[in-house]
Amino acid sequence: MSLESLRIENFRCIEAAELLFDSRCNLFSGDNASGKTSLLEAIFFLGRGRSFRTNRRDILIKAQRDGFLLRGLAMASGRRQALGVRVNGSGIEARCAGRPVVGLAELASVLPVQAIDPEVHRLVEDGPRERRRYLDWGVFHVEHDFVPHWQRYQRALRQRNAALRAGRHAAEIRAWETELIEAGEDVAAGRARYVRLLAPWVASVAERLLGEEVELVLHRGWAPDRDLGEALEASRDRDRERAATQVGPHRADLGIRVGGRLARDRVSRGQQKLLASSLLLGQLRCDAENGSDVASLLVDDPAAELDSDNLQKLLDELLDLPAQLFVTALDPANPVLRRLPQQRRFHVEHGSVTALV
């Protein structure tokens, strides 16, 4: 997979831009607040239907405009496919090959994209939500029946939670549990299989970046000595009290251990960035080896918070990665960054983008 072109209208500070990309490496340079990160964000939004910087769509719209439009042409599975995303006051509309998409997962199947940005350490430091999102993105690209299981589980979970909030009788609450249990066990099993595939790839990259042994442990969201039905039965009184389901795959987490200890207790902020980068780079390698299309990787200001030695190590991994690269830099003349392939280079200034190569 590679993104061949991108058209942007009224996204962040970018009023209009039309870009042609290289299938291997693309570098955006410019001053702070020039719009470099907004270009990466636009690519990410085209592939995910969301930003990696904010949950609010309205602030992505250029000031005094009604909405934004992103259009791209991607080479996926041996054929070109057009993608489009429009956001305005009415919500989000996405299209693939000229037709409306059923769900945003369809965008991800055509344009798989990941991002390493200055906040990537939050994948390690923050709570389980971001790690579940990271995990499920990988499962989705390797296990093609994962999305239907996840959607079934989410529907049953919403219905059970609605019954809990309304104070329904136990029989009405149990009515949704058969579907919840079947789909939930399928979701958990898919995640477990994926973590077994993923762990050695992450460990290998982390050994090179951190020089430490890294282990991944899936906490599936309920006690390991029970099946999901038993866990729901044991939690029913607590669920009633809190008016929400307290056990299940929606409570899962990916445990990360460095040198046998929890990563948050073991590594510094700078090391967290390298560890989180190891998770993402290992995932892209794992997915490519297990049938996924080659992804696009967005790397925002890799020199930030990394000394020259660690930046060198990160670039070594990027150069060996089977992915299309989009990289931003304040100073493209940095002797380490100059190791990047001299393919497509762009200068960004006040939201205006100029192709240099």
Side-chain angles (χ1 to χ4, degrees):
M1 193 297 307
S2 64
L3 182 63
E4 295 186 342
S5 65
L6 176 66
R7 178 179 175 185
I8 302 172
E9 295 180 14
N10 301 321
F11 186 90
R12 292 274 194 188
C13 64
I14 304 169
E15 182 173 6
E18 292 194 37
L19 308 174
L20 297 177
F21 297 129
D22 181 73
S23 62
R24 178 64 182 118
C25 186
N26 303 273
L27 179 67
F28 303 107
S29 63
D31 293 336
N32 284 325
S34 62
K36 305 186 303 296
T37 301
S38 296
L39 288 169
L40 300 189
E41 192 177 15
I43 296 169
F44 193 90
F45 203 103
L46 185 63
R48 296 283 196 102
R50 67 174 181 86
S51 165
F52 61 81
R53 299 166 73 189
T54 178
N55 291 324
R56 291 179 54 190
R57 294 174 185 155
D58 59 311
I59 65 174
L60 303 178
I61 301 171
K62 185 174 173 60
Q64 301 180 340
R65 298 294 190 273
D66 296 329
F68 68 78
L69 175 66
L70 306 172
R71 291 179 178 170
L73 189 64
M75 177 65 75
S77 300
R79 61 192 180 96
R80 287 183 176 86
Q81 297 194 53
L83 293 173
V85 178
R86 185 190 301 274
V87 169
N88 54 33
S90 301
I92 181 171
E93 176 189 0
R95 303 181 73 84
C96 179
R99 56 177 177 75
V101 303
V102 177
L104 294 178
E106 190 171 347
L107 295 176
S109 67
V110 176
L111 182 60
V113 58
Q114 275 288 18
I116 296 175
D117 72 301
E119 297 297 309
V120 71
H121 62 88
R122 296 178 58 187
L123 183 57
V124 177
E125 187 178 67
D126 284 3
R129 181 182 178 186
E130 284 303 313
R131 289 186 291 277
R132 282 197 300 270
R133 182 178 274 172
Y134 156 82
L135 182 60
D136 287 347
W137 187 87
V139 184
F140 164 73
H141 285 287
V142 171
E143 300 226 352
H144 300 299
D145 59 353
F146 177 74
V147 169
H149 296 321
W150 185 87
Q151 290 172 335
R152 284 178 59 215
Y153 179 77
Q154 290 296 321
R155 283 194 298 268
L157 179 65
R158 286 194 296 269
Q159 295 293 343
R160 187 178 190 269
N161 283 342
L164 288 166
R165 287 194 299 271
R168 302 297 187 190
H169 294 299
E172 293 181 67
I173 295 170
R174 288 192 182 95
W176 295 104
E177 290 182 2
T178 299
E179 181 84 352
L180 191 77
I181 292 165
E182 290 179 357
E185 294 279 8
D186 286 336
V187 168
R191 286 173 172 170
R193 287 190 296 271
Y194 181 69
V195 170
R196 287 194 292 272
L197 289 175
L198 175 66
W201 292 97
V202 171
S204 177
V205 177
E207 173 64 30
R208 294 190 292 273
L209 289 183
L210 286 167
E212 297 273 10
E213 181 180 351
V214 172
E215 302 171 86
L216 302 182
V217 180
L218 177 63
H219 304 291
R220 58 183 183 168
W222 68 94
D225 59 344
R226 290 175 168 168
D227 62 32
L228 183 52
E230 293 169 338
L232 286 169
E233 184 70 33
S235 182
R236 190 169 288 115
D237 289 342
R238 185 172 53 146
D239 293 353
R240 280 183 170 280
E241 180 182 332
R242 301 188 182 184
T245 305
Q246 300 299 303
V247 297
H250 64 290
R251 307 280 292 186
D253 195 5
L254 183 66
I256 306 167
R257 292 184 172 273
V258 177
R261 294 171 54 192
L262 285 175
R264 282 177 291 183
D265 303 331
R266 179 75 170 75
V267 298
S268 67
R269 174 64 64 85
Q271 289 175 315
Q272 285 181 0
K273 180 170 183 175
L274 289 174
L275 176 56
S277 297
S278 300
L279 289 167
L280 293 166
L281 295 170
Q283 182 177 69
L284 293 178
R285 288 179 175 276
C286 173
D287 291 3
E289 286 291 322
N290 286 279
S292 174
D293 279 338
V294 173
S296 291
L297 177 63
L298 317 178
V299 188
D300 192 15
D301 196 8
E305 299 183 21
L306 291 180
D307 59 33
S308 59
D309 287 343
N310 283 323
L311 178 58
Q312 183 83 46
K313 291 177 184 178
L314 179 60
L315 287 176
D316 286 343
E317 294 298 324
L318 294 179
L319 292 171
D320 195 43
L321 188 71
Q324 182 185 30
L325 300 176
F326 295 88
V327 183
T328 69
L330 281 171
D331 180 13
N334 180 307
V336 179
L337 288 174
R338 288 177 67 182
R339 293 186 56 225
L340 290 169
Q342 302 290 312
Q343 304 294 347
R344 294 286 288 177
R345 296 197 171 214
F346 304 85
H347 181 71
V348 189
E349 185 174 1
H350 303 305
S352 178
V353 189
T354 303
L356 302 178
V357 179

